[in-house]
């Protein structure tokens, strides 16, 4: 039965911003429609502490758990925000269990592990379906199916009579097609029976063909009354049968690396994803916007501030920030500026890549996580630096948090992604054509009043970044309130050495071979350690070194810190010696 | 000024707080130590209400007891629009009275089950649960057909009435009494709508609904 | 194991051999027989006219109306501590754990509520040890968005008890007598598997801490009655006012607890997803594992 498709809700059960509580074969489901129309069918259990997601909040793009406010994106069910640790990007792999879902005949269909395509029912393909009221029954699906063979109703043209002739046709295990004939008119209804639990079901009847508007209410009432009578008969029959044990649906274990504390951001570098360029357009002078769509399956969850690596046709790899709003997972949208002295990165995207082309990208990584516990968030963008801040602004906007987006651009025609800016409305402000001095003056004004629990995010050209940091410091903003994206590590990483690592606290000795990183080896052996950028740029995977001489290949540690030799970034750094002893 | 003899965890007191909040009427709440103090059974409180139960209101010297009676009074007096208690429309008034009686049923089943589970009241819990499910089935069916007519509330008024407020808390807290609403999708949608009424406040044990989709 | 009447009872020694608070003494009507269940066993208790506390095992449908110390019954050990009647259906330690503060004369000691919850005892305890839910479950009372961060804290074992120290969390209105937001400081203490306490900076006295405890009375593996114990430095508010605040907090947690699935606490680390803020919960689960607890949990 777990391989079959079953209806689990009526489409009309899912108005926007509602979370439907369903159940199939003993497994509870939280079912919700995102504002764009997409229907999510998820296991009714927050991965964090098992709280039912059906009591959570559907905000149109994400579902928020009621217990600790974790947010999960539509489509992927991936966690996008953990409020208890506002400065961390949640691990990409925190993902609730979700099930494939389709809407057909006015019903939502899913299955535990459905084999094959959602089957069609011929009679319903021939005419428009008309959904009747669905009825839960306290009886097994088998009993309901059996007793549907005694069910009767009148054809639509003869509602006031009785005694219509009924023809029943079986249609697979959980579907019966009944036709009522009287006085030359016929009405056909398809009854789908959803096995809710061992002794509970829902009858979901769909009429073949839509009745005349004037009689619709009568038709609905007629069928509801008839089905209610049937339900009474079924339930009294069920009461005479021995009671059945409720079904128990197995809960999947979470991946091992999520089961250990502490976890900040963790994740492994995965093989690149192949995506297609679905849309490419000029969004401003010198800036093209590109939307990538998945070729097979769902794009992974991202968080505001995240970027992807794009593998370009000419072999180069470049990072681009995602501009998507929360829950927007049908595509990834990036902005690419044609750099005057491009070494072939942006030029390649501008000139060579066309709509329909297939390119490889990485999963989104987030080195620039957005806190949402800020009383006011100031976003400062310079030119193309607006891209990660657009994602942040949309998240803040959608969560009703106070923010302002200051967008510095050369001129009006250099302002990219106007549609998004228009949706954001009053909280965004463009500062056009300012000289460096003018920019500094404007920044002074913007950053004039640091407040308690307020944060600044800045992304733009180097000099502007520097100016922002300097002015913010002058004005009394604490260091940890001013955020900018980590520098990317451009070092050529040498991973040819092989050596041993001794884990002092775990009393383990492991071998790191060439082509592997220390971090990977740790993960393979179930040792959990936070990491984020995995390119030696963010400092998350720093580990204390007790013995041995590290070969630093990161860009995070300062020269002085490297000299000390008492810590290292295990995602890229290694040793030229035989072994390292680490404080893990 | 209205004085409400109140216990925060009582659904019947909550019904008054909810209506007063929606109508934006100020009142003074006098906390009654219903549990564990059983203050409503004290000789002192019985001077306020000889039947020994809450809520009771005193409005400028006028005293009234019983949840649904108080709702009727407050809506009649403090809602100038006349929509919460539609006294001028015989049909709506009849329906409101009918569904207020229905609320007596949900109080005596669903909310009684909650008292059994929470505070150990000695009731036959299975009878209460069965009774509540029977009422919920009827309510779900009713609300489903209302939705088909483009109507959102228990009466045929386009506006909620005190009948919605009288039924809502018993339903919204039914799971505390072990009465699941999984089989009542139309009721679950209606509880979202009630929780989106302007001026709505929760009582402990319920959460606010997600904000409605922008129109 | 099953009783004569055929229903399963608890056989877990780690849980059986503990004291459980079954009622607040001021709420027990004198010389009457009160029936309840403890760890699936039917039990009864009574306070005699001269204040003696009695407890005994009963048949599930027992209808005894009065007893005295000379009655021929299957007696159970009892203690009185912090205003509660404690009993055990196993072989408990000589005394109930200590709460030194309850002896301080300037404190208010009272039972805020005893509330039935359809959940396992360890789930109720774990919720009590959790700060991250304050802004979502107790908005405007114990927390408030966007102040959601859980700062790092430390967990440790002290004389066989589990403690969390240096806990801090933003609180808009820490107690009845406070009016504006503060960083409240907490200490958590788990003296026995189904009892927990928190010590919280008192708005009334900068030097000392208020004590709030949850003493869970496990009826069965998946149903409890939770006793909420208060020992406060507050000589202003009335009992009713103090109770109101705590009863509200408690009632806000109830729908969360009753919507947790599975109801028993899973001890397998891969059953749920912990984060740094859950250190105490992890420590609690490990501690239960080390004690060999099997009742109310899903052993790893
Ligand atoms: S249980 Fe869902 S956020 Fe904690
Ligand atoms: Fe809580």
């Amino acid at each position: 039965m777990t391989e079959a498709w079953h209806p689990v809700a009526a489409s009309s059960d899912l108005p926007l911003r509602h979370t439907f509580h369903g159940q199939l074969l003993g497994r509870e489901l939280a079912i919700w429609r995102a504002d764009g129309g997409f229907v999510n069918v998820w296991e009714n259990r927050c991965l964090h502490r098992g709280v039912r997601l059906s009591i959570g909040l559907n905000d149109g793009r994400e579902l928020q758990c009621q217990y600790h406010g974790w947010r999960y994106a539509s489509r992927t069910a991936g966690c996008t925000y953990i409020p208890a640790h506002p400065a961390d990007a949640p691990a990409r792999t925190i993902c609730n269990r979700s099930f494939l879902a389709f809407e057909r005949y006015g019903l939502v269909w899913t299955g535990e592990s459905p084999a094959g395509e959602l089957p069609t029912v011929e009679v319903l393909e021939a005419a428009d379906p008309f959904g009747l009221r669905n009825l839960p029954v306290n009886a097994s699906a088998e009993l309901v199916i059996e007793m549907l063979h005694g069910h009767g109703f009148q054809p639509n043209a003869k509602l006031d009579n009785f005694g219509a002739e009924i023809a029943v046709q079986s249609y697979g295990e959980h579907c019966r097609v009944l036709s009522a004939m009287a006085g030359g008119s016929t009405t056909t209804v398809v009854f789908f029976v959803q096995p809710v639990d061992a002794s509970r079901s829902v009858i979901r009847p769909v009429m073949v063909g839509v009745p005349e508007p004037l009689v619709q209410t009568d038709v609905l009432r007629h069928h509801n009354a008839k089905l209610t009578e049937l339900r009474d008969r079924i339930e009294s029959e069920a009461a005479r049968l021995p009671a059945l044990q409720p079904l128990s649906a197995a809960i999947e274990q979470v991946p091992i690396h999520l089961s250990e504390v502490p976890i900040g951001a963790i994740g492994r570098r995965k093989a690149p994803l192949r995506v297609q360029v679905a849309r490419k357009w000029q969004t401003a002078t010198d800036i093209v916007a590109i939307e990538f769509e998945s070729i097979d399956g769902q794009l992974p969850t991202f968080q505001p501030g995240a970027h992807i690596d794009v593998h370009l046709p000419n072999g180069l790899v470049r990072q681009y920030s995602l501009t998507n709003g929360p829950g927007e997972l049908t595509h990834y949208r990036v902005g690419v500026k044609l750099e005057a002295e491009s070494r072939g990165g942006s030029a390649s995207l501008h000139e060579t890549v066309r709509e329909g082309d297939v390119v490889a990208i990485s999963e989104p990584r987030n080195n620039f996580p957005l806190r949402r516990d800020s009383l006011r968030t100031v976003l400062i963008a310079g030119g193309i630096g607006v891209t990660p801040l657009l994602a942040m602004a949309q998240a803040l906007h959608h969560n009703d948090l106070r923010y302002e987006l200051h967008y510095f651009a050369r001129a009006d025609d250099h302002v990219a992604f106007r549609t998004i800016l228009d949706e954001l409305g009053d909280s965004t402000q463009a500062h056009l054509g300012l000289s460096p001095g003018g920019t500094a003056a404007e920044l002074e004004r913007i950053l004039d009043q640091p407040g308690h629990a307020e944060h600044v995010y800045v992304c733009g050209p180097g000099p502007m970044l520097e100016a922002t940091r300097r002015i913010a410091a002058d004005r009394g903003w604490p260091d940890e309130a001013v955020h900018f994206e980590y520098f990317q590590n451009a070092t050529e990483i040498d991973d040819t050495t092989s050596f041993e690592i001794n884990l002092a606290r775990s009393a383990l000795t492991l071998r790191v071979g060439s082509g592997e990183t220390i971090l990977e080896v740790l993960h393979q052996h179930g040792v959990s350690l936070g990491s984020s950028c995995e390119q030696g740029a963010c400092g998350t995977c720093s580990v204390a070194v007790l013995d041995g001489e590290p070969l630093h290949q990161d860009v995070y540690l300062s020269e002085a810190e490297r000299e000390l030799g008492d810590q290292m970034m295990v995602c890229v750094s290694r040793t030229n010696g035989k072994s390292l002893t680490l404080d893990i | 000024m209205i004085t409400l003899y109140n216990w925060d965890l009582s659904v019947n007191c909550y019904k008054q707080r909810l209506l007063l909040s929606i109508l934006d009427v100020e009142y003074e709440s006098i906390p009654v130590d219903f549990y564990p103090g059983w203050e409503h059974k004290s000789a002192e409180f019985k001077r306020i209400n000889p039947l020994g139960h809450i809520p009771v209101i005193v409005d400028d010297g006028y005293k009234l007891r019983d949840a649904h009676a108080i709702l009727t009074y407050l809506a009649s007096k403090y809602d100038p629009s006349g929509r919460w208690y539609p006294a001028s429309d015989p049909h709506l008034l009849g329906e409101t009275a009918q569904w207020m009686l229905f609320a007596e049923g949900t109080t005596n089943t669903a909310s009684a089950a909650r008292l059994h589970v929470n505070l150990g009241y000695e009731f036959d819990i299975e009878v209460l649960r069965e009774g509540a499910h029977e009422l919920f089935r009827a309510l779900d069916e009713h609300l489903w057909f209302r939705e088909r007519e483009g109507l959102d509330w228990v009466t045929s008024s386009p506006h909620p009435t005190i009948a919605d407020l009288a039924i809502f808390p018993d339903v919204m807290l039914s799971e505390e009494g072990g009465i699941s609403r999984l089989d009542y999708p139309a009721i679950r949608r209606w509880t979202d709508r009630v929780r989106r009424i302007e001026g709505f406040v929760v009582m402990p044990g319920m959460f606010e609904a997600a904000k409605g989709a922008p129109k | 194991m099953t009783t004569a009447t055929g229903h399963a009872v608890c056989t877990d020694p780690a849980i059986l051999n503990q004291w459980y608070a079954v009622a607040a003494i001021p709420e027990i009507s004198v010389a009457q027989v009160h029936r309840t269940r403890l760890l699936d066993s039917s039990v009864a208790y009574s306070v005699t006219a001269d204040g003696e506390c009695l407890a005994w095992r009963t048949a599930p449908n027992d209808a005894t109306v009065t007893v005295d110390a000379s009655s021929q019954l299957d007696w159970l050990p009892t203690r009185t501590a912090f205003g509660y009647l404690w009993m055990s259906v196993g072989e408990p330690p000589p005394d109930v754990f200590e709460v030194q503060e309850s002896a301080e004369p300037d404190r208010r000691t009272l039972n805020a509520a005893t509330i039935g919850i359809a959940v396992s005892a360890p789930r109720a305890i774990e919720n009590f040890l959790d700060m991250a839910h304050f802004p979502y479950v107790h908005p405007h009372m114990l927390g408030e968005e966007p102040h959601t961060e859980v700062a790092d804290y430390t967990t440790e074992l002290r004389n066989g008890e589990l403690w969390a120290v240096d806990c801090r969390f933003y609180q808009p209105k820490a107690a009845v007598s406070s009016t504006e937001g503060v960083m409240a400081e907490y200490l958590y203490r788990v003296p026995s598997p189904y009892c927990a306490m928190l010590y919280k900076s008192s708005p009334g006295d900068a030097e000392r801490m208020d004590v709030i405890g949850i003493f869970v009375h496990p009826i069965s593996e998946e149903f409890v009655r939770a006793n909420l114990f208060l020992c406060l430095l507050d000589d202003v508010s009335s009992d009713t006012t103090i109770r109101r605040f705590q009863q509200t907090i408690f009632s806000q947690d109830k729908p969360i607890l009753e919507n947790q699935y599975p109801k028993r606490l899973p001890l397998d680390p891969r059953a749920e997803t912990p984060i740094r803020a859950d250190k105490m919960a992890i420590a609690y689960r490990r501690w239960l594992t080390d004690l060999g607890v099997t009742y109310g949990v899903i052993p790893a």
Side-chain angles (χ1 to χ4, degrees):
Chain A
M1 271 206 279
T2 56
E3 278 149 38
W5 288 93
H6 296 280
V8 288
S11 293
S12 58
D13 282 333
L14 308 177
L16 298 184
R17 310 295 173 105
H18 177 72
T19 314
F20 177 87
H21 188 185
Q23 194 174 14
L24 178 64
L25 295 166
R27 185 182 301 284
E28 281 195 28
L29 302 170
I31 304 177
W32 62 284
R33 191 188 292 280
D35 282 0
F38 185 85
V39 174
N40 292 281
V41 177
W42 295 357
E43 174 144 43
N44 194 15
R45 209 178 150 262
C46 175
L47 219 59
H48 179 217
R49 282 294 176 258
V51 167
R52 284 197 176 94
L53 290 169
S54 56
I55 66 168
L57 302 175
N58 166 0
D59 80 1
R61 293 157 178 259
E62 295 178 322
L63 193 70
Q64 187 185 34
C65 177
Q66 200 65 258
Y67 195 3
H68 305 97
W70 289 23
R71 307 184 72 91
Y72 297 96
S74 171
R75 291 176 191 267
T76 59
C79 181
T80 59
Y81 188 60
I82 296 178
H85 300 304
D88 295 357
R92 288 192 297 278
T93 40
I94 299 186
C95 204
N96 278 303
R97 187 155 180 211
S98 60
F99 301 94
L100 226 51
F102 288 101
E103 287 185 275
R104 183 173 288 173
Y105 314 135
L107 299 174
V108 175
W109 297 79
T110 193
E112 180 109 13
S113 43
E117 298 275 294
L118 173 59
T120 52
V121 179
E122 278 107 68
V123 278
L124 283 170
E125 295 294 317
D128 281 342
F130 180 68
L132 304 176
R133 180 165 179 257
N134 297 181
L135 226 67
V137 185
N138 290 320
S140 70
E142 290 65 41
L143 182 61
V144 173
I145 284 287
E146 190 188 313
M147 293 189 66
L148 266 173
H149 287 259
H151 183 50
F153 54 88
Q154 289 296 114
N156 293 348
K158 302 272 181 246
L159 284 183
D160 297 334
N161 298 15
F162 50 87
E165 203 174 303
I166 306 289
V168 188
Q169 215 186 325
S170 295
Y171 217 100
E173 199 182 345
H174 289 115
C175 174
R176 294 293 176 268
V177 180
L178 272 68
S179 295
M181 289 154 287
S185 56
T186 304
T187 296
T188 301
V189 177
V190 182
F191 293 86
F192 297 105
V193 179
Q194 169 194 353
V196 173
D197 203 336
S199 51
R200 289 163 48 232
S201 325
V202 181
I203 306 177
R204 303 196 182 273
V206 181
M207 183 172 283
V208 178
V210 180
E212 292 301 312
L214 271 180
V215 297
Q216 280 185 7
T217 306
D218 292 338
V219 168
L220 289 169
R221 293 218 177 259
H222 172 75
H223 281 272
N224 187 57
K226 285 293 178 185
L227 267 185
T228 305
E229 288 167 22
L230 174 68
R231 168 164 76 182
D232 291 347
R233 287 199 303 277
I234 297 175
E235 290 186 345
S236 49
E237 181 62 24
R240 301 193 306 136
L241 299 172
L244 302 169
Q245 275 299 317
L247 300 174
S248 66
I251 300 172
E252 283 186 348
Q253 288 189 315
V254 299
I256 188 108
H257 66 273
L258 292 182
S259 65
E260 294 271 320
V261 175
I263 294 166
I266 201 169
R268 287 164 218 217
R269 206 178 293 243
K270 285 247 181 75
L273 305 166
R274 281 155 50 83
V275 291
Q276 192 162 33
V277 177
R279 234 178 112 208
K280 175 179 166 185
W281 72 101
Q282 197 79 32
T283 171
T285 304
D286 288 346
I287 301 179
V288 288
I290 299 178
E291 280 182 4
F292 298 112
E293 264 176 22
S294 163
I295 294 177
D296 38 40
Q298 176 59 54
L299 292 172
T301 317
F302 69 94
Q303 298 130 17
H307 69 269
I308 51 172
D309 295 348
V310 179
H311 299 253
L312 301 170
N314 58 10
L316 289 175
V317 179
R318 285 288 177 271
Q319 280 83 35
Y320 295 101
S321 297
L322 300 181
T323 62
N324 298 51
E328 230 185 323
L329 274 160
T330 47
H331 58 267
Y332 291 147
R333 185 178 49 238
V334 301
V336 182
K337 167 124 196 270
L338 180 62
E339 302 291 349
E341 57 268 33
S342 167
R343 289 184 298 137
S346 63
S348 164
L349 278 172
H350 268 253
E351 286 147 27
T352 339
V353 171
R354 276 189 242 133
E355 286 183 5
D357 285 1
V358 172
V359 294
I361 62 168
S362 69
E363 286 197 7
R365 276 197 272 276
N366 197 0
N367 294 342
F368 199 23
L370 171 70
R371 301 181 69 110
R372 302 190 206 185
D373 63 340
S374 173
L375 294 181
R376 178 176 71 123
T377 305
V378 182
L379 307 172
I380 298 175
I384 190 64
V386 76
T387 50
L389 303 183
L390 281 175
M392 293 184 180
Q394 290 170 88
L396 294 165
H397 188 81
H398 194 68
N399 291 181
D400 275 332
L401 295 166
R402 197 170 145 219
Y403 75 98
E404 51 205 65
L405 168 62
H406 297 277
Y407 186 176
F408 292 80
R410 226 190 300 163
D412 203 41
D413 60 328
H414 282 70
V415 172
F417 297 107
R418 288 205 175 264
T419 342
I420 301 178
L421 293 168
D422 288 347
E423 273 167 29
L424 295 174
D426 293 347
S427 304
T428 70
Q429 204 185 333
H431 307 273
L432 302 177
L434 296 177
S435 63
T439 302
E442 199 56 34
L443 287 172
E444 302 247 0
R445 193 187 59 76
I446 294 166
L447 297 172
D448 189 32
Q449 297 263 343
H452 167 67
E454 296 185 0
H455 288 262
V456 177
Y457 293 77
V458 50
C459 187
M464 181 180 161
L465 214 108
E466 278 318 306
T468 307
R469 293 177 66 185
R470 189 183 27 114
I471 293 167
D474 281 356
R475 295 287 155 155
W477 290 81
D479 265 3
E480 50 302 346
V482 182
H483 309 259
F484 48 92
E485 189 150 17
Y486 298 115
F487 182 72
Q488 306 291 329
N489 189 354
T491 322
E492 185 79 20
I493 310 281
D494 172 8
D495 64 356
T496 54
T497 54
S498 62
F499 51 92
E500 264 176 6
I501 48 172
N502 307 307
L503 309 186
R505 275 191 274 159
S506 330
L508 260 181
T509 298
L510 304 173
R511 174 124 211 109
V512 181
S514 79
E516 301 179 299
T517 68
I518 300 180
L519 186 68
E520 281 165 4
V521 171
L522 291 175
H523 284 169
Q524 276 158 24
H525 290 83
V527 180
S528 88
L529 181 74
S531 70
S532 177
C533 76
E534 298 185 4
Q535 47 178 316
C538 72
T540 311
C541 66
S542 171
V543 164
V545 180
L546 302 175
D547 195 28
E549 210 170 294
L551 166 66
H552 295 291
Q553 306 196 75
D554 62 282
V555 290
Y556 182 81
L557 293 176
S558 65
E559 253 339 289
E561 287 168 325
R562 287 184 176 212
E563 294 283 294
L564 275 177
D566 62 351
Q567 56 173 320
M568 67 188 292
M569 302 305 135
V570 293
C571 65
V572 289
S573 299
R574 322 170 65 83
T575 182
N576 278 328
K578 279 210 175 67
S579 71
L580 285 168
T581 304
L582 305 176
D583 187 18
I584 307 182
Chain B
M1 178 75 142
I2 302 168
T3 304
L4 171 68
Y5 290 86
N6 176 38
W7 184 47
D8 292 340
L9 307 192
S10 147
V11 277
N12 277 331
C13 295
Y14 167 66
K15 292 173 187 179
Q16 321 310 320
R17 302 198 297 270
L18 179 56
L19 178 62
L20 288 164
S21 167
I22 290 171
L23 296 178
D24 198 16
V25 175
E26 254 187 73
Y27 65 98
E28 186 197 5
S29 162
I30 301 196
V32 176
D33 187 0
F34 183 92
Y35 169 82
W38 305 117
E39 195 183 335
H40 55 301
K41 297 293 178 202
S42 68
E44 220 180 327
F45 189 81
K46 283 190 176 163
R47 255 172 267 141
I48 298 163
N49 177 2
L51 299 183
H53 59 224
I54 47 173
V56 175
I57 58 151
V58 181
D59 185 8
D60 255 341
Y62 173 73
K63 190 167 75 182
L64 198 64
R65 63 163 188 258
D66 285 299
H68 299 160
I70 302 174
L71 286 179
T72 311
Y73 167 75
L74 291 174
S76 307
K77 177 154 181 201
Y78 292 100
D79 169 30
S81 78
R83 291 184 296 194
W84 286 97
Y85 186 65
S88 59
D89 181 323
H91 284 182
L92 291 186
L93 185 61
E95 290 169 34
T96 306
Q98 171 187 303
W99 287 103
M100 293 292 274
L101 262 176
F102 184 88
E104 296 291 335
T106 52
T107 304
N108 294 333
T109 54
S111 286
R114 177 173 166 267
L115 287 177
H116 169 86
V117 170
N118 288 6
L119 301 183
Y121 276 54
E122 296 204 1
F123 294 139
D124 186 336
I125 184 67
E126 288 317 318
V127 170
L128 297 180
R129 286 179 183 153
E130 259 173 50
H133 279 297
E134 207 172 301
L135 294 173
F136 284 13
R137 273 189 171 178
L139 181 61
D140 190 75
E141 174 182 304
H142 175 73
L143 289 168
W144 190 88
F145 280 101
R146 279 274 186 262
E147 284 180 350
R148 295 289 310 199
E149 301 165 68
L151 293 170
D152 283 342
W153 313 105
V154 292
T155 72
S156 54
S157 166
H159 191 273
T161 63
I162 53 170
D164 294 283
L165 304 189
I167 302 167
F168 167 77
D170 300 329
V171 170
M172 197 66 218
L173 293 181
S174 72
E175 284 170 351
E176 292 198 356
I179 299 148
S180 163
R181 293 188 296 278
L182 187 129
D183 282 341
Y184 313 110
I187 292 185
R188 291 186 82 252
R189 292 192 290 277
W190 168 76
T191 62
D192 276 9
R193 296 195 288 270
V194 174
R195 287 182 292 162
R196 288 179 188 139
I197 293 173
E198 176 146 6
F200 175 84
V201 283
V202 293
M203 76 170 270
M206 53 178 80
F207 298 105
E208 276 166 24
K211 270 199 304 178
K215 291 278 151 54
Chain C
M1 194 178 116
T2 51
T3 59
T5 52
H7 74 274
V9 297
C10 170
T11 55
D12 174 358
I15 293 302
L16 271 179
N17 301 336
Q18 301 281 351
W19 291 107
Y20 294 101
V22 293
I25 293 168
E27 295 166 36
I28 305 176
S29 29
V30 171
Q32 281 186 21
V33 171
H34 302 267
R35 276 175 210 84
T36 183
R37 282 196 299 149
L38 174 58
L39 299 171
D40 304 305
S41 294
S42 297
V43 297
Y45 57 88
S46 186
V47 176
T48 63
D50 36 352
E52 195 183 357
C53 292
L54 303 171
W56 64 98
R57 243 181 241 280
T58 67
N61 40 15
D62 170 79
T64 317
V65 186
T66 55
V67 294
D68 59 44
S70 65
S71 309
Q72 291 294 312
L73 292 166
D74 186 358
W75 295 112
L76 293 171
T78 62
R79 294 286 182 278
T80 57
F82 344 119
Y84 292 92
L85 167 61
W86 298 72
M87 67 161 85
S88 176
V89 285
E91 288 159 27
D95 283 303
V96 177
F97 54 85
E98 258 189 68
V99 181
Q100 279 160 1
E101 292 77 6
S102 70
E104 294 171 9
D106 58 343
R107 285 184 183 260
R108 300 271 291 280
T109 299
L110 66 159
N111 179 42
T114 302
I115 294 190
I117 312 174
V119 74
S120 64
R123 285 268 194 207
I125 296 292
E126 196 175 277
N127 163 267
F128 188 84
L129 303 174
D130 179 278
M131 290 181 285
H133 73 285
F134 290 170
Y136 298 95
V137 182
H138 311 295
H140 319 303
M141 300 188 80
L142 296 182
E144 195 163 53
E145 280 189 278
H147 310 279
T148 55
E149 184 159 26
V150 176
D152 197 22
Y153 58 89
T154 309
T155 61
E156 59 196 36
L157 278 176
R158 287 187 192 168
N159 309 322
E161 299 184 346
L162 184 63
W163 284 74
V165 300
D166 297 331
C167 309
R168 291 159 55 79
F169 200 83
Y170 176 91
Q171 189 158 339
K173 182 173 184 268
V176 184
S177 47
S178 54
T179 48
E180 60 186 45
V182 284
M183 282 308 283
E185 285 169 33
Y186 299 83
L187 285 174
Y188 289 95
R189 169 187 176 203
V190 189
S192 74
Y194 291 178
C195 291
M197 264 172 304
L198 69 84
Y199 298 78
K200 178 200 248 169
S201 42
S202 169
D205 186 333
E207 301 294 298
R208 296 158 71 201
M209 297 187 115
D210 283 329
V211 184
I212 298 172
I214 182 172
F215 303 148
V216 177
H217 162 190
I219 302 281
S220 67
E221 281 199 273
E222 301 191 348
F223 192 89
V224 302
R225 288 177 59 75
N227 296 290
L228 196 60
F229 164 71
L230 303 177
C231 183
L232 309 181
L233 295 154
D234 178 343
D235 46 21
V236 190
S237 316
S238 69
D239 282 7
T240 309
T241 314
I242 291 175
R243 279 181 173 144
R244 257 183 97 185
F245 186 84
Q246 298 299 340
Q247 287 179 351
T248 295
I249 300 290
F250 218 44
S251 308
Q252 289 170 334
D253 283 318
K254 190 176 151 79
I256 291 291
L257 291 170
E258 293 183 335
N259 277 296
Q260 269 181 298
Y261 181 81
K263 284 191 187 301
R264 286 180 292 148
L265 185 74
L267 297 183
D268 175 359
R270 291 183 61 186
E272 293 176 348
T273 314
I275 53 166
R276 291 197 304 283
D278 298 323
K279 250 191 198 171
M280 186 54 167
I282 307 301
Y284 176 61
R285 292 183 188 197
R286 288 207 182 127
W287 187 67
L288 292 180
T289 308
D290 293 346
L291 293 176
V293 171
T294 58
Y295 188 86
V297 301
I298 302 172

